């Protein structure tokens, strides 16, 4: 029903007619039908699966666990506010007795909730993806413009492109531990390990697609740039990048999807804070509610991955010079 209302809001009432209304209804009907079939199959199939932790949770039980996680987050927020209020009152009383007294402010160190883990994972994946983009796009432009540079770097790309995050993780952990030894770190080691692992695994699609896009610039555009005697930088900015944008964004969307999948695996394996650790902790917990909580995490991971892709698609449509191009 929500999808139908969203579609209807997109349509101006003055432009409504039977054809448009039919298009909107059909466009919303099939996604709703697909979800209804999926939930029905899930409900029926869940009752047939008995695990060591009990019967596999149905959609209703998963919704209950979602509600429990929301309640836990709200209770933790109340605890945090009460902690700071008590601290503020205590310090005010100390300063009232002795204005020169040194008061201490302590940070609340409560248990991270499910939503805290979501925020941690999002921050980590966006940081790793941003770093991968900073490396992949300039390097992709360079190797796309020069055949000899491409031939020199291509073997390295082909060797490291298929390496699993599970193989990168031990190396990254050891290297970060060896090089990032400071008493006052700006970032936690767990964050750096997860971020670098995400970067190493997600930069390849953007790098390859950017180089292909740059190498596919129309010959007429190249000839015009020669006639106009454009400098290298002007040629790249005015001709190469606009021409390669569709391929760049294809790579960026693939990289972001890979980054999100890699991050969950890295957090789970390395026990770094985030959604992956939440799933692993619930698996180890083994309570009757663990399966439902894991299902909530799986659904949230999928929804966030979908939203990240839609966000990148919106940026692509906004940046792309060819507004008539079909993007989906």
């Amino acid at each position: 029903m929500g999808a139908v209302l969203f579609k209807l809001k997109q349509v101006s009432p003055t432009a409504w007619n039977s054809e448009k209304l039919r298009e909107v209804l059909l466009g919303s009907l099939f996604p709703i039908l697909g979800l209804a079939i999926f939930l029905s199959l899930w409900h029926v199939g869940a009752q047939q699966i008995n695990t060591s932790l009990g019967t596999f949770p149905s959609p209703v039980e998963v919704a209950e666990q979602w509600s429990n996680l929301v309640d836990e987050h709200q209770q933790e927020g109340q605890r945090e506010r009460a902690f700071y209020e008590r601290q503020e009152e205590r310090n005010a009383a100390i300063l009232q007795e002795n204005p020169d007294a040194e008061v201490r402010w302590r940070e609340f160190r409560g248990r991270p909730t499910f939503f805290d883990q979501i925020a941690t994972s999002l921050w980590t994946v966006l940081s790793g993806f941003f770093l991968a983009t900073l490396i992949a796009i300039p390097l992709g432009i360079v190797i796309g413009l020069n055949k000899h540079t491409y031939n020199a770097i291509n073997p390295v790309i082909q060797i490291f492109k298929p390496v699993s995050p599970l193989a990168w993780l031990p190396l990254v952990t050891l290297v970060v531990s060896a090089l990032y030894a400071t008493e006052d770190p700006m970032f936690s080691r767990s964050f750096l390990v997860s971020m670098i692992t995400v970067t190493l695994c997600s930069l390849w699609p953007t790098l390859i697609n950017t180089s292909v896009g740059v190498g596919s610039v129309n010959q007429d555009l190249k000839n015009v740039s020669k006639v106009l005697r454009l400098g290298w930088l002007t040629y790249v900015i005015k001709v190469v990048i606009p021409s390669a944008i569709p391929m760049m964004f294809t790579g960026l969307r693939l990289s972001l999807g890979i980054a999100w999948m890699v991050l969950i695996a890295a957090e789970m394996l390395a026990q770094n804070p985030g959604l992956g650790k939440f799933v692993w902790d619930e698996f180890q917990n083994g309570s009757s509610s663990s399966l439902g909580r894991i299902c909530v995490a799986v659904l949230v991971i999928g929804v966030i991955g979908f939203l990240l892709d839609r966000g990148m698609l919106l940026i692509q449509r906004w940046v792309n010079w060819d507004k008539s191009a079909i993007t989906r």
Side-chain angles (χ1 to χ4, degrees), residues 83-223:
F83 172 82
Y84 284 118
E85 286 174 1
R86 288 196 304 271
Q87 186 170 227
E88 191 173 347
E89 290 173 0
R90 184 179 64 246
N91 288 339
I94 293 173
L95 290 173
Q96 189 174 12
E97 291 181 3
N98 180 10
D100 297 327
E102 289 188 5
V103 295
R104 292 186 301 174
W105 292 94
R106 291 188 301 165
E107 187 179 350
F108 180 72
R109 297 186 180 279
R111 185 170 60 90
T113 65
F114 178 66
F115 295 93
D116 294 330
Q117 305 282 29
I118 292 175
T120 301
S121 289
L122 279 174
W123 166 244
T124 308
V125 76
L126 292 177
S127 300
F129 173 72
F130 182 69
L131 181 59
T133 303
L134 281 182
I135 297 170
I137 288 183
L139 187 58
I141 291 173
V142 170
I143 65 176
L145 287 172
N146 190 293
K147 183 180 178 182
H148 300 300
T149 309
Y150 174 80
N151 289 335
I153 296 180
N154 187 49
V156 180
I157 296 173
Q158 299 306 323
I159 289 172
F160 288 113
K161 181 168 60 103
V163 175
S164 163
L166 305 182
W168 279 119
L169 197 56
L171 290 176
V172 174
T173 303
L174 291 173
V175 171
V176 170
S177 299
L179 299 180
Y180 193 66
T182 173
E183 295 180 355
D184 186 21
M186 180 179 292
F187 303 105
S188 66
R189 285 185 186 174
S190 60
F191 168 76
L192 288 178
V193 169
S194 297
M195 185 192 72
I196 294 172
T197 304
V198 166
T199 300
L200 288 173
C201 294
S202 65
L203 66 87
W204 310 112
T206 302
L207 175 61
I208 294 170
N209 280 275
T210 300
S211 67
V212 171
V214 170
S216 305
V217 175
N218 190 290
Q219 188 60 44
D220 291 340
L221 294 175
K222 294 180 182 178
N223 295 336

Side-chain angles (χ1 to χ4, degrees), residues 264-328:
I264 302 302
E267 289 172 344
M268 190 178 295
L269 185 65
Q271 287 292 285
N272 292 335
L275 278 172
K277 185 175 187 303
F278 174 85
V279 172
W280 184 254
D281 287 347
E282 289 297 333
F283 175 70
Q284 294 292 320
N285 184 17
S287 69
S288 57
S289 62
S290 292
L291 275 177
R293 288 170 174 251
I294 292 173
C295 287
V296 171
V298 168
L299 292 174
V300 168
I301 289 168
V303 170
I304 291 176
F306 172 73
L307 293 177
L308 289 174
D309 184 71
R310 294 296 99 175
M312 188 58 67
L313 184 62
L314 286 176
I315 296 174
Q316 180 180 1
R317 287 173 177 167
W318 179 62
V319 172
N320 197 352
W321 56 271
D322 185 4
K323 303 302 181 187
S324 63
I326 297 175
T327 51
R328 60 180 65 179

